[in-house]
Amino acid sequence: MSLPLISVVTISFNQARFLEQAIRSVLEQDYPHIEYVVVDPGSTDGSRDIIDRYRDRIASVIYEKDNGPADGLNKGLSHCTGEFFCYLNSDDFFLPDAFRRAIAQLQAHPDCAFINGDGFIVDENGKITKRFISAPFNLWRYAYGHSIVCQQSTFFRREAVIEAGGFNENNRITWDAELLIDITLNGRKNILNHDYWSSFRIYDASITGSQHYQEAVKQSHKLLFNRIMERDAHWYDAKLVPLAKLIRWTIDPIGLWERMKPLRNKEITL
């Protein structure tokens, strides 16, 4: 049986130090049908030279200005034709055989719009610093801070992403979470698989590693809380956060075990 096409979008902007590893982690997957799209709105650090070296293996390269990452992802999405879809920042990377395993799970659950897997958090040198264990995605638990998933290990049915309207270009912080919320609000289901499919790089110079980013996430979460609960947060909502945490680990004992497993302190190499 022929395997379905997966469309992959990488958004790139001045991350030349890590970009080649990100690109290779897509192109060297043990999966025969990959449609790869790379979006770069104007890198000046040599990133475009790296992209051009792999251009014969990339289906579409988009060199045009955008209005931020969500806009860039929508531009990339507009060039995608695959049944399945995923995306990757240029300083992160997929682990070997991630596509084959994730798509097999989605094919086994045809009623599900997306699947979340686990990943590793790595430093700027690619050394594992901790595990990133995804939670079962649920709107109520997300509102209370205990349904966070590894974006890099999330795979979609492309039609569900399009049905949800793609990425909210006005959300410049948590566009990834908002997409999952939009898909779920459309009544679509999701599944979780505790398999390791990607590495998420956090380091001092990364956006995610900055204090400013963390504060912006808190403000964005307030807006998403309002979207889910259809009201502003009140003082008593803080009392429900521990309950959401307890429910998360009660319904997902495998995730708790994965989180408690000893960490192998070694560098990941492709």
Side-chain angles (χ1 to χ4, degrees), residues 6-9 84-88 94 98-99 102-103 106 113-119 132 134-135 137 147-157 161 167 176-177 179-180 183 190-193 195 197-198:
I6 180 171
S7 298
V8 186
V9 174
F84 299 103
F85 169 77
C86 65
Y87 62 99
L88 185 73
F94 291 111
F99 293 4
I103 290 174
L106 280 170
F114 64 88
I115 183 171
N116 302 118
D118 295 336
F132 191 151
S134 290
F137 189 79
S147 200
I148 306 302
V149 302
C150 183
Q151 170 267 302
Q152 297 78 3
S153 293
T154 301
F155 293 78
F156 303 84
R157 294 186 189 279
V161 177
F167 299 86
D176 47 356
L179 175 62
L180 301 185
I183 291 174
N190 66 83
I191 51 174
L192 172 65
N193 187 284
D195 195 2
W197 292 335
S198 70

Side-chain angles (χ1 to χ4, degrees), residues 11 69-70 73 87 167-168 171-179:
I11 49 173
L73 285 168
Y87 62 99
F167 299 86
N168 180 2
N171 186 341
R172 303 180 70 87
I173 300 295
T174 53
W175 62 86
D176 47 356
E178 186 168 3
L179 175 62

